[in-house]
């Protein structure tokens, strides 16, 4: 349910990217640089996005169509026992996850995957409840449904093509950690490369 602890170098890169993300969130879609970072997070933390499960270009296509959503602390992201077909990646803010008979609570922050089994288990019912932190200002997140995931997977198997506008040397990206990706983003190399690819 909660991903493993990143290395110090990865954590630094993710913190820097969180700052950049917060400065830019006037729009509700992901920029090419954000897609690059989120792709790296997904393939390292979520089994359903590993290269052996789904091609890279299919994941990129999913992320390009993803919509950034918001939720206040009065709402629930997941409810214990309520079936869901949606995987969530927390982008901004903090979520309180309550699980177990004794109601054990853990708090998670940005870039935490939640509900990963929703992409591999039809009719998945979480054994936890997840809500925005009560003293916070709400959260921003993106979701991918099981249906969208399967459609992307099936489409990629039928006709593997690169998602338009985000053709960014994925063979090199796969070996980058978040800190290196952030350096490339800060230097403008990723944006320049993506602009060249579009022409």
């Amino acid at each position: 349910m909660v991903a493993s602890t990143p290395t110090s170098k990865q954590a630094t890169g993710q913190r820097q990217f969180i700052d950049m993300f917060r400065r830019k969130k006037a729009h509700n879609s992901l920029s090419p640089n954000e897609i690059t970072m989120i792709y790296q997070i997904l393939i390292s933390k979520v089994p359903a996005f590993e290269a052996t499960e789904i091609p890279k270009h299919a994941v990129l296509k999913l992320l390009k169509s993803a919509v950034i959503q918001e939720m206040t602390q009065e709402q629930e992201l997941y409810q214990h026992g309520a079936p869901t077909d949606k995987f969530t990646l927390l982008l901004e803010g903090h979520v309180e996850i309550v699980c177990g008979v004794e109601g054990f609570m853990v708090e998670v922050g940005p870039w935490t995957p939640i509900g990963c089994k929703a992409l591999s288990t039809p009719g998945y019912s979480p054994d936890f409840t997840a809500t925005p932190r009560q003293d916070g200002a709400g959260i921003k997140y993106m979701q991918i449904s099981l249906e969208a995931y399967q459609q992307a997977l099936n489409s990629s198997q039928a006709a593997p093509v690169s998602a338009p506008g985000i053709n960014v040397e994925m063979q090199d990206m796969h070996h980058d950690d978040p800190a290196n990706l952030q350096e490339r983003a800060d230097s403008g190399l990723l944006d320049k490369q993506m602009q060249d690819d579009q022409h």
Side-chain angles (χ1 to χ4, degrees):
M1 181 175 64
V2 179
S4 58
T5 304
T7 64
S8 58
K9 187 175 182 181
Q10 288 175 328
T12 299
Q14 290 182 18
R15 283 195 300 271
Q16 292 171 341
F17 193 80
I18 289 168
D19 291 339
M20 182 176 73
F21 184 89
R22 286 173 173 166
R23 290 196 297 270
K24 295 178 63 178
K25 278 303 108 201
H27 54 82
N28 66 349
S29 60
L30 298 170
S31 72
N33 285 346
E34 290 162 352
I35 289 174
T36 298
M37 171 63 80
I38 291 174
Y39 169 79
Q40 188 71 15
I41 291 171
L42 292 181
I43 64 172
S44 63
K45 293 185 175 182
V46 184
F49 291 104
E50 292 178 356
T52 54
E53 298 296 326
I54 186 170
K56 298 172 185 176
H57 64 266
V59 181
L60 294 177
K61 188 174 182 179
L62 277 171
L63 294 178
K64 187 171 176 64
S65 62
V67 176
I68 298 170
Q69 303 179 63
E70 297 187 38
M71 180 178 288
T72 65
Q73 56 266 45
E74 291 81 19
Q75 300 171 284
E76 285 185 337
L77 188 61
Y78 290 93
Q79 183 179 4
H80 185 284
T84 181
D85 68 343
K86 292 181 174 60
F87 156 78
T88 301
L89 180 67
L90 181 60
L91 301 175
E92 184 177 323
H94 291 79
V95 166
E96 295 175 345
I97 296 177
V98 178
C99 56
V101 177
E102 297 181 357
F104 176 76
M105 197 262 290
V106 60
E107 182 179 303
V108 298
W111 310 120
T112 301
I114 307 173
C116 298
K117 291 183 179 180
L119 296 181
S120 60
T121 308
Y124 168 69
S125 296
D127 59 355
F128 60 90
T129 295
T131 57
R133 188 170 66 186
Q134 293 305 301
D135 61 349
I139 60 172
K140 292 182 180 180
Y141 61 98
M142 56 160 279
Q143 290 187 319
I144 296 175
S145 69
L146 175 60
E147 180 181 7
Y149 176 84
Q150 290 178 334
Q151 287 179 348
L153 180 58
N154 294 337
S155 176
S156 69
Q157 292 172 341
V161 293
S162 297
I166 52 175
N167 183 21
V168 291
E169 285 192 346
M170 294 305 302
Q171 68 273 20
D172 292 334
M173 185 195 308
H174 180 74
H175 298 291
D176 282 340
D177 61 32
N180 290 336
L181 290 171
Q182 176 63 31
E183 291 174 2
R184 292 171 64 189
D186 290 341
S187 68
L189 291 177
L190 286 176
D191 285 332
K192 181 179 184 301
Q193 187 174 30
M194 291 175 191
Q195 291 169 2
D196 293 341
D197 288 336
Q198 293 174 4
H199 299 294

